[in-house]
Amino acid sequence: MSGFIEWLKSLNEKDTKVRAVLRRSLAFDPGTFPAAYPYVEPFVKNEDNSWRREMHYLAAGLWASHLRDERTRDSMLIGNACYSLYLANDKSPSVEKRFIALLDSDRDQLPHRLRQMIALLKDYPIDFEALLKGILYWNDEQKRTQNFWARDFYHNSNEAEETKEETK
């Protein structure tokens, strides 16, 4: 992939205020918080597409807000992480509804709903490179990202049901 998250991690190792600035950027529309420019612009400097540029800022802020030791466990795709949260909450309909609302987000709703979901997933290691790749293509007419995330979520659901049936 792009190596953007690795870029942010390397910046953060040199200067720990990187995460704080990028976390703060989530209070603004993606790409409009000037203090975040030094950390994102060098990576996206040749990007003319405003959507792609904004999604790099959003992914940077989400990564920064999701502080955890990334070396402890393998990171999870968003659909898998949401399904794990769903199970941890005794298959709460509200978790599934939030996940579906996320998948149904338009370009204006996506930053807000994704921030909410990442906050709920605070205990799960997220693959932010995969998340960035997905949101870069969010507006695809065939909704490939949304379909991929949904398959991840519901595939896990089907496997869990099959395992339960086999143990009977």
Side-chain angles (χ1 to χ4, degrees):
M1 185 45 208
S2 66
F4 180 59
I5 301 302
E6 289 304 318
W7 159 263
L8 295 176
K9 286 178 185 177
S10 69
L11 290 176
N12 190 61
E13 287 173 8
K14 296 174 190 160
D15 184 358
T16 55
K17 78 175 183 180
V18 171
R19 262 198 145 112
V21 169
L22 293 175
R23 254 191 326 270
R24 175 82 174 107
S25 75
L26 288 175
F28 301 84
D29 289 335
T32 62
F33 184 58
Y37 295 169
Y39 309 117
V40 180
E41 283 302 316
F43 196 85
V44 297
K45 63 181 175 251
N46 296 324
E47 186 59 65
D48 291 332
N49 181 312
S50 64
W51 176 258
R52 293 179 63 82
R53 177 178 238 94
E54 289 170 16
M55 292 305 97
H56 277 82
Y57 278 95
L58 178 59
L62 294 171
W63 167 79
S65 72
H66 195 263
L67 182 60
R68 58 181 304 104
D69 184 1
E70 288 129 358
R71 296 167 291 177
T72 57
R73 294 186 278 170
D74 291 334
S75 56
M76 303 171 82
L77 298 174
I78 194 85
N80 291 333
C82 289
Y83 185 71
S84 295
L85 177 67
Y86 175 66
L87 286 180
N89 286 279
D90 297 322
K91 295 188 176 182
S92 168
S94 68
V95 173
E96 185 177 21
K97 285 178 185 175
R98 282 180 182 260
F99 180 67
I100 291 170
L102 172 62
L103 297 180
D104 193 38
S105 299
D106 63 23
R107 67 183 303 129
D108 295 328
Q109 297 165 330
L110 181 64
H112 174 72
R113 289 187 177 161
L114 198 50
R115 281 192 301 263
Q116 288 181 323
M117 186 57 75
I118 295 299
L120 289 173
L121 296 172
K122 67 183 181 311
D123 295 329
Y124 301 91
I126 305 297
D127 182 342
F128 283 97
E129 286 287 353
L131 181 125
L132 173 59
K133 182 179 179 185
I135 62 177
L136 287 174
Y137 298 101
W138 193 259
N139 298 316
D140 174 59
E141 289 180 12
Q142 296 176 345
K143 298 196 173 285
R144 288 183 184 112
T145 296
Q146 294 87 330
N147 290 326
F148 180 76
W149 289 7
R151 277 192 306 271
D152 251 3
F153 184 94
Y154 290 105
H155 175 76
N156 286 321
S157 176
N158 289 339
E159 283 183 357
E161 291 302 317
E162 289 170 7
T163 302
K164 190 188 307 180
E165 289 297 317
E166 290 172 4
T167 58
K168 287 184 179 178

